[in-house]
Amino acid sequence: MEISCSILSFQMSITSLTTLHGRIGFVTQDDVLFPHLTVRETLTYAARLRLPRSLTNQQKEERALDVISELGLERCQDTMIGGSFVRGVSGGERKRVCIGNEIIINPSLLFLDEPTSGLDSTTALRIVQMLHDIAEDGKTVITTIHQPSSRLFHKFDKLILLGKGSLLYFGKASEAMDYFQSIGCSPLIAMNPAEFLLDLANGNINDVSVPSELEDRVQMGNLETQTRNGKPTPSVVHEQYLVEAYETRVAENEKKKLMAPIPIDEELKLKVSSPKREWGASWWEQFRILFSRGLKERQHDYLSWLRITQVVAISVILGLLWWHSDSDSPRGLQDQAGLLFFIAVFWGFFPVFTAIFTFPQERAMLNKERAVDMYRLSAYFLARTTSDLPLDLFLPILFLLIVYFMANLKTTAYSFFLSMLTVFLSIVAAQGFGLAVGATLMDVKKATTLASVTAMTFMLAGGFFVKKVPVFISWIRYLSFNYHTYRLLLKIQYGHVPPALNGVKVDSGLKETIAMVAMIFGYRLLAYLSLRRKTLQP
């Protein structure tokens, strides 16, 4: 039986629930944070995106520092958040950062979904005490907590107890035990009040004294209960009794209290009545902030020693295999053409399977931040897809510096930089394809499978292995970045060779360049439209 025990905290006057997002904060059960950002950076970016435009950047940064001080995070403010493979702050500190992301806007109402989940008792108590302090400052704090300790329970002002979705109690937490004793339910042994209430809601009355009326109804219900797999199913008679008791004794008075009119200040009325969405920053500011955040977050992955070692190792192996290759003989030309084909394939596949993970991995963060109107989807998309470009230049340059001269390719500055530009176009086009697949499916396994099949089809239909490709399938080559990259590299290296090489006519390469640029924008447009369809917001 699944039971939800919800604690309606810290007695405050409740504002209208129709308030805009700017007046409500919500902390999810899972900590959705960027692992490579520090505590200060995380809260500063949140402040710059969520606080009103009327505040300057300096004022927003000061607000972030105030929240750090309020939450007691000064000691770890320059420590990375961390994650599964990144060492960072503790679980309690991470949870406080999540809370800081919401209280930074000074909300009137703060919701938290199991803020003590996975924390030890001392850390959990510290979190709840902090929430109590926030409530005493004039905020309404509502949180759900399963199995709170007795110390946590006594911190709450109001309590909602639910059993199978039915309301069993609503009122002051300090009066909950007196109420249940008044209806004949009390613990037989000394126990945590929260455990006692959960036992009642869950139907576990072994250590609970119940009135004779309820015992008779439970016994009668058990006799009438049908069995499943040879075992009796749990009786719900005691739950019916608790629901009826609440409805007859408490519900009416509590409903009258809740229905009483609550004064709302005029400023809040204007905000609620205004349908216009208010952004904390202009589109351009959103783009700049998200670009900076993305660059800081992903530089650790892009410039990791593992990835650098991978690229360097492959480039050295290629350089040794094609060591000082000769382009003067037909056989040497074919050998070098094989190297160029591998370069086109490698820098086509490598970025695809990196970009696929982009939106599926950030889906939780995107949904969370978009739900509170932190930024426009267009600003996020453009910043996300352009913040990778500076990082994308490093590895290809390192790769070509090793391979190009070891393999004795055309040693002119013009040819080298054109080859570098071609590889860069291939990377950006391949990334666009990976982004489109990832945004369309939003599932890493499905996206990886589709990308593998599609990329393989692109390569096979390009005419590299089958010279005479059937007309009904040959059109696929024009959608392939591998195909156009390979043709451009051949034209750059062998523009001096009069006859066609591997069926590639020597010309300016304008058609291939135009096709690559079209794919760069086309695949990204498809990714944006898919992402917009998933989020259903502009």
Side-chain angles (χ1 to χ4, degrees):
M1 184 186 305
E2 182 178 353
I3 299 299
S4 174
C5 174
S6 303
I7 307 297
L8 176 60
S9 85
F10 327 131
Q11 183 178 6
M12 295 290 151
S13 61
I14 301 179
T15 59
S16 171
L17 292 180
T18 58
T19 316
L20 296 178
H21 289 146
R23 302 300 294 266
I24 299 176
F26 178 69
V27 181
T28 59
Q29 180 179 353
D30 297 325
D31 301 332
V32 183
L33 299 166
F34 285 113
H36 292 107
L37 297 182
T38 66
V39 171
R40 181 190 295 180
E41 288 171 343
T42 299
L43 294 176
T44 299
Y45 284 127
R48 293 176 64 186
L49 287 168
R50 298 192 67 180
L51 292 177
R53 293 195 209 183
S54 56
L55 300 179
T56 64
N57 283 338
Q58 182 178 355
Q59 291 174 318
K60 292 181 178 182
E61 290 172 6
E62 288 174 355
R63 172 58 183 161
L65 293 177
D66 291 341
V67 170
I68 289 174
S69 176
E70 183 179 350
L71 299 179
L73 295 170
E74 298 98 328
R75 184 182 62 84
C76 62
Q77 61 180 322
D78 295 318
T79 305
M80 286 195 300
I81 298 296
S84 301
F85 304 102
V86 183
R87 186 175 181 180
V89 298
S90 66
E93 291 167 337
R94 188 180 294 111
K95 181 61 68 176
R96 277 183 276 169
V97 174
C98 292
I99 296 173
N101 270 333
E102 300 303 318
I103 68 172
I104 205 161
I105 60 172
N106 196 26
S108 301
L109 183 61
L110 179 62
F111 290 97
L112 302 100
D113 183 14
E114 297 195 48
T116 60
S117 179
L119 303 179
D120 60 82
S121 59
T122 303
T123 305
L125 179 63
R126 188 180 299 122
I127 293 290
V128 173
Q129 181 60 55
M130 180 193 66
L131 295 176
H132 191 277
D133 295 339
I134 292 173
E136 288 185 337
D137 288 338
K139 307 294 184 296
T140 300
V141 181
I142 301 177
T143 178
T144 62
I145 295 184
H146 289 189
Q147 203 72 19
S149 67
S150 57
R151 292 189 299 175
L152 296 188
F153 181 82
H154 290 299
K155 293 289 182 182
F156 302 123
D157 292 329
K158 287 190 176 180
L159 164 74
I160 294 177
L161 179 65
L162 299 176
K164 282 190 173 180
S166 299
L167 190 58
L168 305 182
Y169 178 78
F170 171 62
K172 292 182 178 180
S174 58
E175 298 176 358
M177 296 297 290
D178 294 337
Y179 162 74
F180 284 105
Q181 287 177 0
S182 70
I183 63 173
C185 299
S186 58
L188 294 175
I189 60 175
M191 61 192 314
N192 177 359
E195 291 181 355
F196 165 72
L197 297 177
L198 284 173
D199 281 347
L200 278 181
N202 196 40
N204 180 11
I205 55 175
N206 294 331
D207 298 319
V208 177
S209 172
V210 296
S212 57
E213 176 190 353
L214 179 55
E215 287 183 348
D216 294 340
R217 292 171 65 176
V218 169
Q219 291 176 0
M220 185 176 298
N222 284 333
L223 291 175
E224 298 175 354
T225 300
Q226 295 181 352
T227 61
R228 181 182 304 165
N229 296 330
K231 297 180 180 180
T233 57
S235 174
V236 295
V237 176
H238 62 281
E239 293 177 9
Q240 296 173 353
Y241 174 81
L242 295 176
V243 171
E244 291 172 3
Y246 174 78
E247 291 290 339
T248 56
R249 294 171 180 253
V250 182
E252 199 61 36
N253 290 333
E254 293 297 335
K255 287 178 182 177
K256 289 180 180 179
K257 294 178 183 177
L258 293 175
M259 295 300 292
I262 300 175
I264 303 178
D265 59 81
E266 293 300 321
E267 179 185 356
L268 183 58
K269 286 182 180 179
L270 291 175
K271 287 186 176 182
V272 172
S273 61
S274 174
K276 185 178 179 181
R277 178 180 292 174
E278 296 182 5
W279 304 99
S282 65
W283 189 96
W284 176 245
E285 289 173 334
Q286 290 174 11
F287 170 78
R288 287 193 301 106
I289 294 169
L290 293 171
F291 183 91
S292 173
R293 187 179 74 172
L295 201 60
K296 285 188 176 182
E297 167 61 23
R298 284 181 291 281
Q299 65 182 350
H300 299 276
D301 289 332
Y302 272 79
L303 304 181
S304 66
W305 283 109
L306 183 62
R307 183 167 294 194
I308 294 173
T309 302
Q310 178 186 11
V311 171
V312 170
I314 292 174
S315 58
V316 170
I317 292 172
L318 291 177
L320 293 175
L321 288 173
W322 274 270
W323 177 260
H324 286 186
S325 58
D326 183 14
S327 61
D328 294 333
S329 64
R331 184 174 180 179
L333 281 176
Q334 289 296 333
D335 286 346
Q336 284 194 356
L339 173 61
L340 297 178
F341 173 73
F342 180 86
I343 293 174
V345 171
F346 179 75
W347 288 111
F349 280 19
F350 191 70
V352 166
F353 293 99
T354 301
I356 276 176
F357 295 89
T358 299
F359 296 125
Q361 284 185 339
E362 293 190 7
R363 184 177 189 176
M365 179 66 75
L366 179 62
N367 289 339
K368 171 192 168 185
E369 295 181 337
R370 292 279 295 140
V372 295
D373 290 341
M374 282 184 68
Y375 44 73
R376 298 177 185 271
L377 182 62
S378 55
Y380 164 80
F381 181 84
L382 191 61
R384 182 63 184 85
T385 55
T386 56
S387 61
D388 293 337
L389 298 183
L391 301 172
D392 289 332
L393 282 172
F394 176 73
L395 292 179
I397 291 175
L398 184 62
F399 176 89
L400 280 183
L401 283 173
I402 297 173
V403 173
Y404 200 90
F405 299 103
M406 287 182 70
N408 196 32
L409 294 176
K410 194 174 181 180
T411 54
T412 63
Y414 179 75
S415 299
F416 175 80
F417 286 112
L418 277 184
S419 299
M420 183 69 251
L421 178 60
T422 301
V423 170
F424 185 65
L425 286 175
S426 175
I427 291 171
V428 180
Q431 276 185 339
F433 174 73
L435 292 171
V437 174
T440 301
L441 298 180
M442 279 297 183
D443 183 278
V444 172
K445 290 184 178 180
K446 293 179 181 178
T448 303
T449 302
L450 177 60
S452 301
V453 174
T454 307
M456 191 63 66
T457 304
F458 282 167
M459 186 172 63
L460 293 174
F464 309 125
F465 303 101
V466 181
K467 297 300 180 184
K468 189 177 181 180
V469 181
V471 177
F472 62 84
I473 199 173
S474 61
W475 59 270
I476 296 178
R477 71 179 65 179
Y478 301 111
L479 302 177
S480 169
F481 34 83
N482 296 329
Y483 174 76
H484 298 293
T485 302
Y486 179 54
R487 292 172 65 89
L488 282 173
L489 289 175
L490 286 176
K491 291 177 181 182
I492 292 169
Q493 291 298 317
Y494 310 119
H496 61 285
V497 180
L501 181 66
N502 287 357
V504 179
K505 294 181 180 180
V506 177
D507 55 28
S508 64
L510 181 61
K511 290 188 296 183
E512 288 81 2
T513 303
I514 292 175
M516 294 281 282
V517 173
M519 281 188 285
I520 288 172
F521 290 100
Y523 283 135
R524 278 168 169 75
L525 178 61
L526 176 60
Y528 174 73
L529 294 177
S530 299
L531 199 62
R532 182 170 181 175
R533 179 175 58 85
K534 294 289 185 181
T535 59
L536 299 178
Q537 293 183 20

